[in-house]
Amino acid sequence: MNNQKVGILGGGQLGRMMVEAASRLNLSVTILDAPTDAPAKQIESTQAHIHGAFKDATKIRELAENVDVLTVEIEHVDAHVLSEIEAEGKVKVHPSAKTVKTIQDKYFQKQHLTSHGVPVSEYLDTPNEVAVLAAGKQFGYPFMLKSKTMAYDGKGNYVVKTEADVKPAMEALKNLPLYAEKWAPFVKELAVMVVRRANGEVRAYPMVETIHKNSICHLVIAPAQVDGAILSKAQEIAMDAIKTFPGAGIFGVEMFLMQDGSILLNEIAPRPHNSGHYTIEACDTSQFENHMRAILDMPLGSTAMKVPASIMVNILGSSTDMVECYKPCHEALVTDGATIHLYGKKECRAGRKMGHITVVGESMMQAQERLKPILKAMEPDVE
Ligand code: ATP
Ligand code: MG
Ligand code: MG
């Protein structure tokens, strides 16, 4: 289909699902990640993967030597060496190193978005305690103190409820560069995947609703059960935001729907995203396949849903007990419309993403009914 070799920085579940999509198109993918048995490496035996950190400039260069296009499954990579490689021009970098660099620092990302007129919650730089206290005065309480860098699954966020929380918040996030964000009392969290080809063509997937638990994505409901006019506006905001970031690839856009119907953009991921896993079973072309097509400058596939409704639930570790963690999968085996994805992780930890299950249905009500026993297996005590 395409002779260009792809190199991915990062070999977790997102890389693994990219490899799955790539293999159907006979595309060759080489992974850079430290574990020799990283999830993505396990299922691609035709390439000599690189064992090393995706922050290690030497290892990134070694990967670049062996491929034609570099991409990422995580934004917390060495963006500086990516920009050098991009400038040298032998290897393409998608999305552009500049995009990765802007997005990997949430404060920088927010500045970029505001400078392009994208609506976001108010934010302030907080280099010290005085500045954090000043943010409390300006925004009121609660507000969110966030790490600018290295954040995922809510790690790096602290809800500052009163002035007395300022010290413990700074202690909890110590050694991280911080900024403050005004609290967004949203009614729902929405997300949308947007894909862009190198020639500038942009396509959006349907809007979905995400439900988080302890700041980790729990459920993704597709399509979002929200007024169509609001969804069109949110989709437009997301597409306009993505058009400001150079390079090809798929992006996950997280948003807050406010009481008055307005939308605030929370953050953008320059890669496949948890809120887009449903696209594997529920859309004409999955987010992973469209990412591959985009970075290789192949025609983008349709982003339309091919089923009326789907719900994805993450399989998270509750402890180190792997058997406990996989219980919902046994229920999914006997559920019509359910597809299990396990990531091949060798160790289970509380809150670790071990897999996901997507349930599709002829209606949202049917998808909900089908999901019920799976959720029950996950949380036997919850009615
Ligand atoms: P991810 O795993 O999505 O990368 P993250 O660690 O980058 O997460 P955020 O997306 O910034 O963290 O925040 C995690 C969750 O915290 C959000 O999905 C939302 O539920 C809540 N949240 C974040 N910012 C705010 C805010 N300003 N006001 C209210 N809630 C917020
Ligand atoms: Mg994030
Ligand atoms: Mg987030």
Side-chain angles (χ1 to χ4, degrees):
M1 289 293 292
N2 194 302
N3 290 328
Q4 297 177 85
K5 287 175 176 277
V6 175
I8 308 178
L9 278 69
Q13 66 265 22
L14 300 177
R16 180 177 171 108
M17 289 183 272
M18 282 194 224
V19 169
E20 280 182 354
S23 74
R24 279 188 293 100
L25 300 178
N26 277 355
L27 302 172
S28 109
V29 176
T30 307
I31 304 293
L32 164 62
D33 206 344
T36 51
D37 62 351
K41 291 178 185 172
Q42 291 171 19
I43 62 164
E44 162 59 288
S45 57
T46 67
Q47 302 301 310
H49 300 300
I50 298 175
H51 312 311
F54 42 73
K55 284 179 177 261
D56 180 336
T58 315
K59 290 291 179 181
I60 296 173
R61 284 210 167 269
E62 190 182 330
L63 178 66
E65 288 295 316
N66 290 288
V67 300
D68 304 294
V69 182
L70 282 179
T71 190
V72 297
E73 65 128 38
I74 180 165
E75 55 276 29
H76 307 305
V77 298
D78 181 338
H80 180 69
V81 70
L82 276 185
S83 66
E84 285 176 358
I85 294 167
E86 195 171 21
E88 287 158 17
K90 281 204 300 242
V91 175
K92 294 190 197 102
V93 179
H94 285 305
S96 164
K98 190 162 179 269
T99 294
V100 176
K101 194 169 171 20
T102 306
I103 287 178
Q104 68 182 192
D105 181 320
K106 281 184 174 179
Y107 182 74
F108 198 24
Q109 182 190 142
K110 284 253 146 70
Q111 284 185 313
H112 172 92
L113 292 171
T114 20
S115 76
H116 286 91
V118 178
V120 298
S121 201
E122 281 178 60
Y123 59 96
L124 273 179
D125 196 10
T126 53
N128 52 42
E129 194 179 325
V130 173
V132 178
L133 286 165
K137 283 236 155 52
Q138 182 169 333
F139 298 152
Y141 292 87
F143 70 89
M144 194 69 108
L145 194 61
K146 291 193 179 186
S147 167
K148 293 178 179 177
T149 56
M150 295 303 296
Y152 74 100
D153 288 347
K155 296 178 180 66
N157 286 359
Y158 198 107
V159 181
V160 185
K161 297 196 181 93
T162 65
E163 228 175 71
D165 277 348
V166 168
K167 266 193 204 304
M170 294 192 72
E171 184 58 27
L173 302 174
K174 70 166 176 244
N175 303 328
L176 294 166
L178 303 178
Y179 78 101
E181 240 180 66
K182 187 169 175 179
W183 191 256
F186 55 79
V187 286
K188 282 187 180 201
E189 287 194 78
L190 301 175
V192 60
M193 301 307 304
V194 178
V195 62
R196 192 185 44 222
R197 199 175 158 180
N199 69 5
E201 182 192 355
V202 177
R203 290 189 186 195
Y205 281 84
M207 296 291 306
V208 302
E209 181 180 341
T210 57
I211 298 175
H212 291 74
K213 242 192 208 171
N214 304 323
S215 291
I216 306 177
C217 178
H218 173 49
L219 296 175
V220 174
I221 298 165
Q225 305 295 290
V226 173
D227 177 76
I230 291 177
L231 295 184
S232 310
K233 187 176 65 186
Q235 208 168 37
E236 201 179 301
I237 291 171
M239 286 173 87
D240 284 349
I242 293 314
K243 285 177 192 158
T244 69
F245 291 102
I250 193 127
F251 295 81
V253 185
E254 300 177 10
M255 286 174 281
F256 299 137
L257 170 60
M258 308 304 285
Q259 186 76 52
D260 64 357
S262 64
I263 298 285
L264 296 175
L265 196 148
N266 173 30
E267 63 163 345
I268 293 175
R271 52 167 169 79
H273 190 259
N274 202 166
S275 70
H277 292 355
Y278 81 96
T279 61
I280 301 174
E281 284 80 22
C283 293
D284 286 337
T285 318
S286 80
Q287 61 164 342
F288 301 100
E289 178 169 338
N290 255 343
H291 181 67
M292 285 296 150
R293 293 190 191 201
I295 65 172
L296 294 171
D297 204 19
M298 293 159 74
L300 298 178
S302 156
T303 52
M305 284 184 77
K306 60 185 178 192
V307 291
S310 84
I311 308 178
M312 184 230 61
V313 59
N314 272 331
I315 300 168
L316 300 178
S318 53
S319 65
T320 54
D321 187 347
M322 203 80 99
V323 174
E324 178 70 26
C325 165
Y326 292 152
K327 270 189 184 159
C329 299
H330 296 281
E331 198 55 52
L333 287 175
V334 294
T335 303
D336 291 348
T339 306
I340 305 165
H341 294 258
L342 294 177
Y343 304 151
K345 295 186 182 176
K346 299 287 187 276
E347 279 167 29
C348 188
R349 283 193 303 273
R352 189 170 198 210
K353 288 174 177 164
M354 303 298 288
H356 73 266
I357 297 167
T358 299
V359 176
V360 299
E362 291 304 317
S363 66
M364 191 51 81
M365 209 190 278
Q366 188 187 50
Q368 281 165 345
E369 282 304 315
R370 287 175 166 178
L371 185 68
K372 265 187 194 162
I374 296 171
L375 289 181
K376 183 92 186 145
M378 225 166 242
E379 299 170 40
D381 304 331
V382 179
E383 272 313 308

